[in-house]
Amino acid sequence: MKILGIETSCDETSMAVLEVDEKKKVKVLANVISSQVKIHAKYGGVYPALAAREHAKNIDKVLKLTLKEAGLKSVEEIDLIAVTKGPGLAVALIVGITFAKTLAWKYKKSIVGVNHLEGHIYSNWLPLQDSNSGLLTLDSRLFPALCLIVSGGHTELVLMKGHGKYKILGETQDDAAGEAFDKIARMLELGYPGGPLISQEAEKFGKSGIPPTLDPRLFAREFSSGCIPDLPRPMINSKNFDFSFSGLKTAVLYLVRKLVQQYPIAEIRPAVAYEAQQAIVDVLVSKTLRAAKDYQVKSVLLSGGVSANQLLRETLEKKISEELKEVNFFKPLMAYTTDNAAMIALAGYFNYAKSKEKTDFSWKSVAVDANLRI
Ligand code: KG4
Ligand code: ZN
């Protein structure tokens, strides 16, 4: 069975073709991502109307490229279309959905609407493109699983009892983790998207400590321990599994405002980025471990754009192996951490396989749901 995935919920126009055989082995035949990051960078975030216009401009080209990469001549050879129906920017989602529905109608194909967050969860089971590794790990012995979904729009801890069976344990009360990275990057005049740029700066601090041009005594006065600024870890000790990152963002804002009076911004960036990244990772890891223990899960699945963060990947893996020896830890391959259509195709396949007899998969069945929850 060949599945065409279509994703336009934010600023990537992406299409993928997945092949699933009778033994449920999955192969990624194509995964094309046309990113608008450069276009949005000057606004410091995603500009919705512009995102929609770019999706509309590129979507046809992305389909052609995807079919070519997958070695297919036409959509005729596809068995199922899977498209993101939400959550995301309504104006951007509409472009992908309208395109997908038109293909489903024209070629008389089944179509399934996919929750973008469910797509992120399934990114954990995607093999490298063109490799043959299968769905071997997609096994009932993994459940209950705890999913930490961390992206630009979401920060959620979700208990997954089986395929399609989810319960939200906690979520952010304000900014998402990725949004915090993006906003802190903007305060440090680093650009967009902020996550990778903050990590790069943090690494400089890790290597060199205080920049040599600064007087360490002066610098240390602003920073409490070991010349690293002391930032809050919001809600790290709260009893629930919710998150909040707006207080951290405000603390960074005040710290940066104070420091730039004395130092050039380029010189304070590494230390501030180091501590801000550490604060976000500390909160995410601490709450995930506590939820994993409380709910006695068999596995932990990391996903979403922020799952590309090396410190988060490594810290979570290390803590789980130290404190929860029986628990399996999964993280998506780097290629599938940020938005992509391969994950949408895989989640779509599972939704379709689960209820193909009972559900309407005609082009009329899919509609935008910008605020969809998992
Ligand atoms: O999942 P995603 O591609 O889009 C949404 O669904 O939101 O996530 C994008 C987010 C951005 O906020 C970006 O800054 C963050 O993921 N991100 C990272 C890293 N790479 C991307 N955050 C921290 N470290 C990274 N290496
Ligand atoms: Zn996403």
Side-chain angles (χ1 to χ4, degrees):
M1 177 170 194
K2 288 191 181 64
I3 307 115
L4 172 69
I6 302 179
E7 154 66 39
T8 65
S9 69
C10 194
D11 58 348
E12 329 274 10
T13 317
S14 179
M15 283 192 212
V17 179
L18 244 60
E19 190 175 50
V20 183
D21 70 15
E22 306 84 59
K23 291 186 187 135
K24 287 206 174 174
K25 286 224 167 186
V26 66
K27 198 167 174 181
V28 180
L29 301 182
N31 187 36
V32 175
I33 302 173
S34 165
S35 179
Q36 307 172 2
V37 157
K38 284 200 184 111
I39 292 164
H40 297 286
K42 54 177 171 286
Y43 303 100
V46 181
Y47 194 95
L50 203 54
R53 200 184 71 188
E54 287 300 306
H55 286 311
K57 203 164 86 187
N58 294 324
I59 202 157
D60 214 26
K61 203 162 57 193
V62 171
L63 174 66
K64 287 197 178 89
L65 274 173
T66 307
L67 292 175
K68 191 169 170 218
E69 195 172 298
L72 304 179
K73 286 200 183 66
S74 132
V75 177
E76 208 64 75
E77 294 165 73
I78 295 288
D79 303 293
L80 173 70
I81 298 169
V83 62
T84 306
K85 63 177 175 184
L89 302 168
V91 285
L93 288 161
I94 284 169
V95 180
I97 291 177
T98 310
F99 190 79
K101 286 174 77 149
T102 309
L103 290 179
W105 172 79
K106 182 173 169 197
Y107 293 96
K108 299 190 174 55
K109 302 290 175 189
S110 292
I111 179 170
V112 55
V114 175
N115 183 316
H116 180 81
L117 299 176
E118 192 173 25
H120 274 305
I121 292 176
Y122 278 84
S123 67
N124 273 288
W125 289 291
L126 284 169
L128 269 180
Q129 192 165 337
D130 293 325
S131 92
N132 258 323
S133 63
L135 291 175
L136 302 171
T137 51
L138 205 74
D139 182 300
S140 58
R141 280 170 297 177
L142 292 178
F143 301 121
L146 178 69
C147 309
L148 173 65
I149 312 169
V150 268
S151 70
H154 293 85
T155 300
E156 291 187 10
L157 273 171
V158 175
L159 187 68
M160 183 179 186
K161 293 184 187 149
H163 295 295
K165 292 186 194 142
Y166 306 105
K167 184 181 170 206
I168 300 176
L169 302 180
E171 60 195 322
T172 186
Q173 302 298 300
D174 38 60
D175 292 347
E179 203 176 349
F181 272 109
D182 294 338
K183 287 180 177 166
I184 291 169
R186 211 181 322 169
M187 291 171 201
L188 292 171
E189 296 171 20
L190 277 172
Y192 173 84
L197 299 166
I198 293 272
S199 297
Q200 275 168 28
E201 287 296 320
E203 214 166 292
K204 286 186 205 162
F205 183 82
K207 284 201 187 99
S208 59
I210 300 171
T213 49
L214 296 179
D215 176 349
R217 283 162 308 168
L218 267 184
F219 203 57
R221 216 178 294 151
E222 314 289 349
F223 297 67
S224 59
S225 56
C227 299
I228 295 172
D230 221 359
L231 289 168
R233 269 76 174 149
M235 293 182 79
I236 197 163
N237 293 319
S238 71
K239 291 214 164 57
N240 58 23
F241 297 111
D242 287 335
F243 300 91
S244 164
F245 292 104
S246 70
L248 172 65
K249 190 182 66 184
T250 313
V252 174
L253 181 68
Y254 288 134
L255 179 68
V256 172
R257 268 194 200 154
K258 194 165 148 195
L259 290 173
V260 288
Q261 290 171 6
Q262 270 179 291
Y263 313 106
I265 188 127
E267 308 219 329
I268 62 163
R269 270 183 197 138
V272 177
Y274 180 94
E275 172 69 358
Q277 173 175 255
Q278 194 67 56
I280 295 172
V281 169
D282 283 352
V283 176
L284 293 174
V285 170
S286 160
K287 294 229 151 174
T288 305
L289 256 87
R290 199 153 49 75
K293 287 175 192 165
D294 280 13
Y295 286 87
Q296 300 183 343
V297 297
K298 298 203 177 108
S299 50
V300 172
L301 312 175
L302 176 64
S303 67
V306 182
S307 73
N309 187 280
Q310 285 304 334
L311 183 70
L312 176 61
R313 291 166 83 89
E314 285 162 18
T315 315
L316 198 52
E317 182 150 27
K318 185 165 172 281
K319 286 273 185 189
I320 289 171
S321 73
E322 285 167 3
E323 295 180 31
L324 294 162
K325 290 195 172 53
E326 307 293 302
V327 173
N328 298 292
F329 174 65
F330 294 91
K331 53 186 192 280
L333 294 172
M334 285 299 278
Y336 306 119
T337 51
T338 46
D339 291 348
N340 65 86
M343 68 185 196
I344 301 302
L346 189 58
Y349 164 78
F350 272 94
N351 286 337
Y352 178 77
K354 208 171 57 201
S355 58
K356 68 176 164 226
E357 274 82 39
K358 330 187 261 275
T359 312
D360 174 18
F361 288 107
S362 74
W363 66 271
K364 289 183 202 143
S365 67
V366 181
V368 176
D369 191 349
N371 299 315
L372 186 65
R373 288 171 67 77
I374 198 154

